[in-house]
Amino acid sequence: MSLNNTESPDGNVCESCEKSVAIETEYCPHCGEEQPEPPNPTVGPMVGNGISGLFNVMGVGHMVSGHVGRGVRFMLAGWGLTIILVALWFAGLVGSLAAVPLVAIITSLLTLLTFPAYIGIWIWSIVDVKKVIEKEQ
């Protein structure tokens, strides 16, 4: 970098003339060069929540972005629904093996309701981390 570098408080500098520019600036006010688009800070945590939800560890994106309490709540919700889902599955299996069709039917229906609830919380965690980070900016 040259000696005429006057870095702005937010750290944005024109790549062409190395002078200070604002974050929202599309073109450098000094040399007219087009400025690169700033990275979207919500993408990483959203992807983190999306991928971690596949492995039943929701809330990782919240934790990475500094919202540990929120992340832990999403993680506990996911684990709780998984425990309920597995318990219902075993109860249905035992009910069907014990020739108690009513137990098998009821637990199967509850299992069918629990799985979409997990998917709903998973999607909510992805949307929530985006909203929380955007609110901070």
Side-chain angles (χ1 to χ4, degrees):
M1 292 193 156
S2 64
L3 294 175
N4 67 351
N5 180 5
T6 54
E7 192 169 312
S8 64
D10 56 9
N12 286 344
V13 176
C14 175
E15 293 176 358
S16 179
C17 69
E18 298 182 353
K19 291 187 179 177
S20 174
V21 293
I23 292 176
E24 307 84 28
T25 305
E26 290 184 34
Y27 296 93
C28 177
H30 308 288
C31 68
E33 190 72 27
E34 186 174 6
Q35 299 300 301
E37 195 170 310
N40 186 346
T42 64
V43 172
M46 286 177 62
V47 171
N49 272 3
I51 293 173
S52 64
L54 286 172
F55 302 102
N56 197 23
V57 193
M58 283 190 273
V60 170
H62 285 86
M63 292 181 207
V64 169
S65 64
H67 303 280
V68 177
R70 255 183 140 97
V72 168
R73 286 191 295 270
F74 276 109
M75 191 176 289
L76 291 175
W79 288 349
L81 280 172
T82 301
I83 290 169
I84 292 169
L85 187 66
V86 170
L88 287 170
W89 183 76
F90 276 123
L93 182 65
V94 169
S96 63
L97 291 177
V100 184
L102 185 61
V103 171
I105 291 170
I106 291 172
T107 55
S108 295
L109 290 174
L110 290 174
T111 303
L112 289 174
L113 294 175
T114 307
F115 186 70
Y118 179 87
I119 300 297
I121 290 177
W122 183 20
I123 292 170
W124 178 24
S125 76
I126 295 169
V127 172
D128 184 65
V129 76
K130 181 179 189 319
K131 286 182 179 179
V132 167
I133 292 173
E134 285 177 345
K135 189 195 284 187
E136 288 177 345
Q137 295 179 348

